[in-house]
Amino acid sequence: MGQAKIKRSENFPVQLIEEWEADDCVNFAVALARITGWLLHVDWWTTSPPGAEISIDQLKPLRVYVADNRDKIFDVRGVKTIYEFNQSTIIKIANKVGTGMGGILTRYYNEERLPSLPLRSQPDETKVAAAMEVIKENPAYLAAIPKRAMRCIPAYDAARYTFGRCSAFAEAMHELTGLPPVALLATKFSRQFAATKRAENGYFHSLVLHPDGTGEDAWGKASIEDIAGRFGAIEFQTSDKVHRQVIENMLRSSKDIYEEEFTRALGIIREYRDKQNTATAGLFPDKRAD
């Protein structure tokens, strides 16, 4: 891959894009994930019917890319919304790759998992390093990508504690910091997220509250409105009671899984605190200081 200087725009040279796309963009995606700290995704073509157990050897890779924790995709052809990316890229690839009845499956991964996946091309460290240099020479492209609020928690772990495991993370945060955990209950979703799954009481996420009124989950500290917005909730309530009910239900139905996730979250948060003690003293106050 050539190392020609990139023009100061968000676009990359067509020749480089074609080279990256020849490997389903795996080298570009790994390079970008390392630079930005955002999450690696793979879109697959699958012939498994909805709800059926998916056999990994039946998956066909469509594209490897990086995405944030909201609705933005970071690809070789630019920064796009999920809808734009699907329409302009994924559906077109699926129409070429897919055969018979099937559909598109999106999954996120940490980099270490890639060698076990049935990708057409595995990351090549030389090509990844070259892609990193090219990306760094395109500040306009990087400027279009939002910065992560909490870089020391790997994006893969943050994503794991976003769906289904957020209550365990909130409890671990409470254990280490004394910050109160609460549930978010949606009363209205934006049109784009109208089909979002939630409990009958509207529960969709757990987090902890800071004294200044902001919230914090595995992705970091932000306004509660911003955190709820990641799930498409535009009207919501908080409830410590419902959060407690969620924990009690998990302890009854899947105690071993909950305890495993809670213990893992404790380790992740402790590691983050150790790395950030000097730079962000007081972000995680000890219980005795509350």
Side-chain angles (χ1 to χ4, degrees):
M1 182 165 56
Q3 293 296 318
K5 290 287 184 180
I6 304 300
K7 292 182 179 179
R8 298 311 179 192
S9 72
E10 292 182 27
N11 299 324
F12 294 100
V14 173
Q15 180 182 352
L16 286 178
I17 291 175
E18 292 175 348
E19 290 180 16
W20 288 324
E21 289 182 328
D23 292 329
D24 297 330
C25 299
V26 64
N27 294 303
F28 177 90
V30 169
L32 187 61
R34 290 181 185 179
I35 291 171
T36 64
W38 285 115
L39 190 60
L40 280 167
H41 286 68
V42 181
D43 275 4
W44 306 92
W45 174 261
T46 176
T47 55
S48 299
E53 184 174 348
I54 298 173
S55 175
I56 194 169
D57 59 357
Q58 294 179 345
L59 297 175
K60 292 184 179 180
L62 302 176
R63 189 80 148 204
V64 187
Y65 57 92
V66 178
D68 67 3
N69 58 356
R70 298 183 73 93
D71 67 342
K72 289 295 188 295
I73 305 297
F74 316 128
D75 184 60
V76 297
R77 293 187 179 271
V79 176
K80 303 178 181 181
T81 65
I82 292 174
Y83 177 80
E84 293 169 341
F85 181 64
N86 286 338
Q87 294 297 314
S88 67
T89 303
I90 296 302
I91 292 177
K92 292 180 181 179
I93 299 175
N95 287 336
K96 295 178 181 179
V97 173
T99 56
M101 296 295 293
I104 298 167
L105 179 71
T106 300
R107 290 289 184 268
Y108 63 83
Y109 303 96
N110 57 15
E111 185 181 332
E112 291 72 24
R113 179 73 190 283
L114 297 184
S116 67
L117 301 176
L119 299 173
R120 289 196 310 121
S121 302
Q122 285 294 329
D124 180 300
E125 194 58 42
T126 300
K127 293 181 179 180
V128 170
M132 291 181 72
E133 291 302 314
V134 172
I135 294 169
K136 290 176 181 178
E137 291 175 355
N138 192 342
Y141 179 82
L142 289 174
I145 298 176
K147 300 293 188 296
R148 282 202 57 198
M150 205 173 196
R151 288 290 304 278
C152 288
I153 290 183
Y156 176 75
D157 287 312
R160 287 186 70 256
Y161 284 107
T162 298
F163 302 104
R165 301 174 176 87
C166 56
S167 57
F169 192 91
E171 281 295 292
M173 284 284 292
H174 172 65
E175 176 72 19
L176 292 174
T177 70
L179 297 171
V182 297
L184 294 182
L185 313 177
T187 55
K188 184 178 180 180
F189 282 96
S190 64
R191 183 178 302 178
Q192 182 182 351
F193 290 83
T196 300
K197 292 183 179 180
R198 57 191 183 278
E200 290 184 4
N201 59 7
Y203 172 77
F204 65 94
H205 193 50
S206 286
L207 46 74
V208 296
L209 295 179
H210 282 270
D212 62 3
T214 59
E216 186 166 347
D217 63 2
W219 289 105
K221 185 179 179 183
S223 71
I224 301 177
E225 289 77 12
D226 183 70
I227 295 173
R230 286 200 254 113
F231 299 85
I234 55 179
E235 293 180 7
F236 59 90
Q237 300 173 341
T238 62
S239 172
D240 55 351
K241 180 180 179 180
V242 171
H243 171 77
R244 184 51 46 198
Q245 290 172 346
V246 170
I247 298 300
E248 291 173 355
N249 290 340
M250 291 188 69
L251 289 172
R252 282 195 300 268
S253 63
S254 51
K255 182 177 180 180
D256 291 345
I257 295 175
Y258 171 78
E259 291 181 344
E260 179 182 349
E261 293 297 347
F262 174 78
T263 300
R264 180 172 178 175
L266 286 175
I268 292 171
I269 297 168
R270 285 190 180 112
E271 181 180 358
Y272 171 78
R273 292 179 72 188
D274 289 343
K275 290 181 179 179
Q276 295 293 319
N277 271 342
T278 301
T280 56
L283 179 61
F284 290 124
D286 291 333
K287 284 186 177 182
R288 62 177 179 272
D290 290 340

